[in-house]
Structures are given as C-alpha cells and as structure tokens.
Amino acid sequence: MRRFQQYLLRSWVVFFLVVIGIDLLAKSRDYSPSIDFFTFTLVVALSTIFVIDPVRRRHMSFTFHFGFVLFTFLTYGLLSAICVGQLTMLIYQLRTVHTAIGRRRMLHNYPFNVTLELLLILPAGLAYNALGGTHGQEFALIGNIGPLLVMVLILWLVLLFQYKLSHFLLGENIPNNVMLPLLRFEAVVIAAELLFGIFSTLMVQNNGNSGLVMTAFALFIIKRSLGSSVHASDRIEHWEQIERLKEAAWKDGDAQFIIERYLRQLNHFVRPDIAWIKFDFSEGNPIYYSLKDGRKLKADHVQGIIIEEIIEEKDEVLLYGMQQEWDIRLYDCIPEETQSILFIQPEATEKINCSLFLASEASGEFTKDFGYELYRALRVLSWAVERAQERERLLTDSRTDAMTKLPNYRALQEWGDRRIRQRDLYPFSALMIDLDHFKQINDTYGHEVGDVVLFEVAKLLMQATRITDLVARYGGEEFVVLLPNTDLESAQIVAERIRETLHANPVRIEDNQLKITASIGIDTLNELGDLASLIRNADRAMYIGAKFQGRDRVASYQEWKERVI
C-alpha cells in the first residue's frame, strides 16, 4: 500500500470514529438542534459567502467561517453549531470538485477538515457549558468572561495541535520557520472570529437577524483587508525575486552563460529538494539542467519527467500542494517524502521551449501566484537565450567563410592577434597555402566545380591539423594555417603532411578525378612578434621558394630570406 493510501485510510477511520463519538455524545446529553430553519439557512448562506473566497497562505485556506460557528454556539447551542460547521465544510470542499485535483483533494482533506472543525468547537463548547456559560437571550459578556476565556484557551491548544494532526492524518510536513508565521496569522483570524461570535450574538439579541448581517459585513471587511495585506506582501516579495531573475536573463553573455547565471539567481530564493529546468530547442534534443548545481542531466535520470505528459496543453502552471493531490503516475517516479510540486508549462518562442520543475518535501511550498510569476520570468529567459543564440549565430556567420565553412579573414585576425601575444604559445608558426593552377580548374570545369574543390580542400586541411591550430580561408584559393607551440622543423612536417594529403586525395567530379597540389610557405616566430609580418613572410616564402621554384613544394621564409628581401 502506498504512503498516500495509508494516510487516506487513516483519515477516514478517524473521521468515522469522530462521527460515531459525536452521535453517542449527543444521545447521552440529550442534545438537539434548537435553531429555526430561516436562521439556519441565513447562517449557512453567510458562511458560504466567506468560504468561496478564502484568504490563502501557502496551501492553507483561511475562510473566517468559524465565526458563524461560534455565533451559532453562543446563540443556539453546541449541536446547532456542529451542524453549521459541518455543512459549511462540505460546501467548502465541494467548490473544487469539478477538477481532478479538487476531487482528490476532497477525498483526502475532507476527513481532516471535519475532524479539525469538531476538535475546535467540541472541547471548547463542552468546557464552556461545564463552566455554566449561557446561550441566546441569556448570554451576557460580563457574566461569561470565565467560560469564554477557557474557551479561547482550548481553541488555542487545538490550533497548536492541528499541525500534529495534519501530519498524522495527511502526512504534511511544514517547516518550523513556516509554521510560526502561519500560527501568528491564525491568531489574528481566531481573534476576529471570536469577536464576531460574541458581538453578533449580542446584536441578534437586540436587532434580530439584521444584527447578524451587519456584523457579518464588518467581518467581511476585516477578511478582505487581511487578504489584501497578505496578497500585497507576498506580491512585493515575489516581485523583487522575479525582477532579479529577469535582470540575470537580460545581462549580456552567450546562451550558456545566461542559463548558468539564471539558475544561480533562481537557486537563491527557491530551494526545492528536486528541481530541473528544460530547454527544448527547435534543432536537437532537449537539454535538462539541475537547478541545484547547474549541471546537465541525462533524460533517463530526470526525476518526475512524466509530468510533461500529465500537464494539459491549456495549462500554464501545474501545482500540487501535497502528495494526496498528485496524479497517480507521479508516485512511481518521485520519492515518497516529496509533497509539493510545481511545474510550469513550456513557454515557446520561435525556437525555444523552456519549462521548470520544482518539488519539495514541505507541504504547500509553492503557490499559484508564485508559479505565474515564474512563468513570466521563464518567458524572459526564453527570449534572452533566443536572442543570445541569434547573436552568436550572426557573430559566427560574420567570421565564417560561406563557401568552405572555415574561419574567414576577420576571424583569422581576431584569433591570431589574441594568441600571438601569449608568450606560452611560442614558438609560433604560420603556413600560407596556395592551390596550384586553380584558375585552370575554373576555366575548364566552371566556378561551381572550383567551389567544390575549395570545400574539399578545406576538409582535408582540417583533417591534417590539430584542434589547437587554426585553418582559415585567406582569399581566393589561398589558405592560412596558424600553428601555436610549433617550431620551424615541426611546421615543415605539418606542411609536408598537408601536401601529401592533397596528393593522396584527388577531388572526384562526376567521372573525373582532379589532382590538387599546393605551394606552401612557412614562417616561424621564436619571440613576440606581430601577426601581419608573420603571414606576410609566409606568403613571400610561398611565392619565392615554392611557386616560383616549380610549385607543389614547401619553402620556409628562413631558407629564402635573402632572396625575399
């Protein structure tokens, strides 16, 4: 039996035991509802107005309906108050039963809410009656100070106990740093409900049911004010966090750097137990990153990946506040200790889908509002990454020769200028390569064939050099190879290897095989120099020592220096 099923069974067993106990108590004490139908309907209608729009703190709802239960108790007795409270709880649970999550939530939470409702009113009500507290027209504030104080004390003890009860019946895990603010807020709510219960009872004594409506309106104003205050404080906190996220996305940098910076910033204020972010690019496989350390994850090692199949296309944010709300498919791929889950539906740009998964062992760790704020922040990240990739593509295109796909003259200058100033890369050599009789190829076979030859030669040059070297198209049929950490002797070996590679790999054009040869010039710097002089000297060696000496050969500037000058 799964963990959530154990809690479900435990909750309903406790529920039935409590109901049986209430029935036996009512019969033993000869309790009976004393409230008239019209007043009962009015009280239930007013409390329903309160429960359909609760104040949310984390995953908990504060409805303020218990004030009506207290009013009913002080005016009509304990059993009438129990009936009002239970009917209101049923209405509260039924309001979300039209959704799958709402039905699962009712199945698991209804026994707990009913039990908690009874634990709030029953011990406090019995103690109030035992101490001689009065009801209805006989109720007086001064004469019931003692019973009321005991009632308040019992209510507080039950509120402190409710978190232990929720852990026992639902398996909820609420950290202490979260529980204390919730208790403080509940203190304000209970105080407002208690005052409403007392003053509405006194008002009804003098003004009938209209007094109940007037005090209910006052409680409604208090509820709305507290709700607005809570919502505003949460929004301010979230707004500051989300703005920092957006700033992280819009700062300059390449796509990888933007993603890493964004994850670091997100990790400052979201600390889940399981977290990943997914980038699904239009070209290539999706990439998953761990939120905790920014490392890439293999798809088969991503926990909770099934959630991508669970969420519907129309949904932007999928939120589970506790384990009992999960889709059944999640139980097999997420640890049992996990409670809260937040998944943000992929937000698409033209080329990128970006989605986020967060899971925590704490119940109610995430809120719907926070989810939608993150949803907007993910849109900013998608745009920023797409913009960075487009910038990188344009930068690459501006430095790439369209025909051969090699770096062009501009890239050669930038790459070479950076490296030729680094002392640890010396000796530093350059090869100037010129294809022999290339004009005849163009004249005989046409420029399209000439373009094919250039492309094939570029591939051969890449194969014959190291990954640390740079092969660039210099212009026309000329290529330059820059060789860091290469002395003259080693550069000559590389040049001969290139020449032999061209010999051994003629270019096939339909039924013809074109033999390609090249004249290669070399120059080497053993101490700091400049790139322009290095390439110019290699070019001179290529013409004087190779081209003018019969082509298809290698010549070094040092060997032909006197003739070149």
Side-chain angles (χ1 to χ4, degrees):
M1 184 181 292
R2 287 193 175 98
R3 180 181 176 185
F4 81 97
Q5 293 171 325
Q6 296 173 357
Y7 284 117
L8 177 63
L9 179 62
R10 185 182 301 174
S11 296
W12 281 98
V13 168
V14 171
F15 167 76
F16 284 116
L17 290 176
V18 169
V19 170
I20 293 171
I22 293 296
D23 182 61
L24 294 175
L25 177 66
K27 290 178 179 178
S28 66
R29 300 276 182 113
D30 197 25
Y31 285 141
S32 62
S34 57
I35 187 171
D36 63 273
F37 179 76
F38 176 77
T39 305
F40 180 81
T41 304
L42 177 62
V43 172
V44 172
L46 289 173
S47 60
T48 300
I49 294 173
F50 278 73
V51 299
I52 61 175
D53 182 28
V55 177
R56 302 282 298 183
R57 296 299 304 267
R58 289 175 66 90
H59 66 307
M60 298 179 65
S61 297
F62 296 89
T63 61
F64 289 73
H65 81 280
F66 192 69
F68 294 94
V69 176
L70 291 174
F71 159 77
T72 307
F73 168 74
L74 294 175
T75 306
Y76 299 102
L78 184 58
L79 191 58
S80 298
I82 290 174
C83 292
V84 168
Q86 294 308 304
L87 185 56
T88 304
M89 272 293 96
L90 181 61
I91 294 171
Y92 170 74
Q93 295 289 172
L94 288 174
R95 67 194 175 90
T96 58
V97 76
H98 62 284
T99 65
I101 293 179
R103 289 189 290 273
R104 291 195 293 270
R105 186 180 295 146
M106 179 175 180
L107 181 64
H108 290 269
N109 290 5
Y110 180 66
F112 167 77
N113 287 333
V114 166
T115 304
L116 180 61
E117 184 83 14
L118 288 171
L119 287 177
L120 280 170
I121 189 60
L122 192 61
L126 290 174
Y128 179 87
N129 291 338
L131 293 173
T134 57
H135 301 271
Q137 293 296 327
E138 298 178 0
F139 175 79
L141 181 60
I142 301 300
N144 291 283
I145 288 293
L148 285 173
L149 289 176
V150 173
M151 191 175 183
V152 171
L153 178 62
I154 293 175
L155 288 174
W156 263 106
L157 291 175
V158 173
L159 286 177
L160 292 172
F161 172 71
Q162 71 167 317
Y163 293 103
K164 295 292 184 182
L165 181 66
S166 67
H167 182 73
F168 175 72
L169 295 183
L170 301 176
E172 284 193 287
N173 178 25
I174 301 177
N176 290 331
N177 64 320
V178 173
M179 191 184 303
L180 292 177
L182 287 176
L183 280 171
R184 286 197 298 268
F185 188 74
E186 283 189 303
V188 176
V189 173
I190 283 293
E193 291 175 325
L194 183 64
L195 290 174
F196 168 79
I198 293 172
F199 285 106
S200 60
T201 302
L202 297 173
M203 289 288 289
V204 168
Q205 290 177 358
N206 300 316
N207 302 286
N209 287 333
S210 60
L212 175 63
V213 174
M214 287 187 289
T215 51
F217 180 75
L219 181 63
F220 183 79
I221 297 299
I222 294 173
K223 171 178 173 285
R224 296 293 294 182
S225 299
L226 284 174
S228 299
S229 175
V230 168
H231 184 69
S233 62
D234 289 344
R235 285 296 300 272
I236 290 172
E237 180 183 0
H238 292 163
W239 181 85
E240 292 175 347
Q241 295 168 343
I242 297 302
E243 286 304 306
R244 287 195 290 270
L245 268 182
K246 292 177 180 178
E247 289 175 6
W250 283 123
K251 288 182 179 179
D252 289 334
D254 59 27
Q256 183 66 30
F257 183 69
I258 289 173
I259 292 171
E260 291 174 359
R261 184 173 55 210
Y262 191 93
L263 294 181
R264 285 197 301 270
Q265 185 62 48
L266 184 59
N267 207 31
H268 286 164
F269 61 89
V270 178
R271 298 187 181 278
D273 298 290
I274 305 172
W276 47 260
I277 190 168
K278 172 190 174 186
F279 291 92
D280 194 355
F281 301 102
S282 58
E283 299 178 1
N285 296 323
I287 301 175
Y288 294 86
Y289 291 91
S290 168
L291 178 60
K292 292 185 177 181
D293 52 20
R295 62 187 175 87
K296 291 183 180 180
L297 301 172
K298 294 182 178 179
D300 55 351
H301 291 167
V302 177
Q303 292 181 302
I305 196 172
I306 189 68
I307 202 165
E308 297 178 343
E309 300 177 15
I310 294 172
I311 191 169
E312 299 179 6
E313 290 185 6
K314 63 181 180 180
D315 294 331
E316 298 171 341
V317 175
L318 179 61
L319 176 67
Y320 297 125
M322 53 193 301
Q323 193 178 97
Q324 285 80 350
E325 300 173 359
W326 292 7
D327 185 285
I328 193 70
R329 287 170 285 182
L330 283 169
Y331 291 104
D332 295 325
C333 60
I334 296 181
E336 266 197 354
E337 296 76 18
T338 306
Q339 288 284 343
S340 307
I341 292 175
L342 175 65
F343 181 69
I344 301 177
Q345 174 81 341
E347 172 57 34
T349 65
E350 287 188 9
K351 299 180 179 179
I352 299 174
N353 290 339
C354 181
S355 56
L356 179 68
F357 177 87
L358 305 173
S360 173
E361 294 180 5
S363 302
E365 182 69 15
F366 316 110
T367 64
K368 203 79 169 181
D369 287 342
F370 183 59
Y372 280 108
E373 292 290 345
L374 275 179
Y375 173 85
R376 286 187 280 272
L378 279 180
R379 284 199 333 197
V380 172
L381 177 62
S382 298
W383 295 333
V385 171
E386 184 179 43
R387 184 191 65 170
Q389 287 185 327
E390 181 65 18
R391 187 169 59 241
E392 292 170 21
R393 185 187 66 79
L394 292 174
L395 189 63
T396 300
D397 288 348
S398 70
R399 288 161 172 75
T400 303
D401 177 62
M403 185 181 302
T404 62
K405 307 306 178 185
L406 292 177
N408 59 15
Y409 181 79
R410 179 179 181 180
L412 169 68
Q413 292 287 336
E414 292 178 355
W415 193 92
D417 284 338
R418 284 197 303 270
R419 283 159 179 76
I420 206 166
R421 291 194 294 267
Q422 296 177 238
R423 293 182 180 275
D424 58 330
L425 297 182
Y426 280 78
F428 199 106
S429 298
L431 309 181
M432 176 63 76
I433 304 169
D434 184 86
L435 303 185
D436 298 328
H437 306 297
F438 185 74
K439 185 175 183 302
Q440 293 180 11
I441 295 176
N442 281 333
D443 293 342
T444 304
Y445 299 98
H447 287 278
E448 290 185 3
V449 172
D451 294 344
V452 172
V453 170
L454 291 174
F455 182 75
E456 293 300 324
V457 168
K459 290 198 298 184
L460 294 173
L461 293 179
M462 292 294 294
Q463 294 171 11
T465 53
R466 303 169 300 185
I467 194 172
T468 55
D469 303 331
L470 177 74
V471 180
R473 187 182 180 193
Y474 194 72
E477 66 272 22
E478 291 183 325
F479 299 86
V480 169
V481 180
L482 297 183
L483 304 168
N485 296 122
T486 306
D487 57 20
L488 178 58
E489 183 178 352
S490 298
Q492 288 175 325
I493 293 173
V494 174
E496 286 294 343
R497 183 167 65 241
I498 290 173
R499 194 179 67 83
E500 292 171 2
T501 299
L502 294 177
H503 268 280
N505 294 275
V507 177
R508 184 180 297 276
I509 304 295
E510 295 180 351
D511 296 330
N512 299 318
Q513 284 191 340
L514 302 182
K515 293 184 178 180
I516 307 300
T517 63
S519 300
I520 304 175
I522 306 171
D523 187 30
T524 299
L525 291 175
N526 293 306
E527 57 186 20
L528 286 178
D530 66 278
L531 182 66
S533 297
L534 179 67
I535 294 176
R536 184 170 57 248
N537 292 340
D539 185 58
R540 289 172 176 173
M542 182 269 294
Y543 274 104
I544 301 299
K547 189 74 72 175
F548 293 166
Q549 302 302 317
R551 297 183 172 85
D552 189 21
R553 63 186 63 219
V554 175
S556 69
Y557 178 74
Q558 284 74 11
E559 179 184 356
W560 294 86
K561 186 173 182 180
E562 293 182 2
R563 297 191 187 187
V564 169
I565 294 174

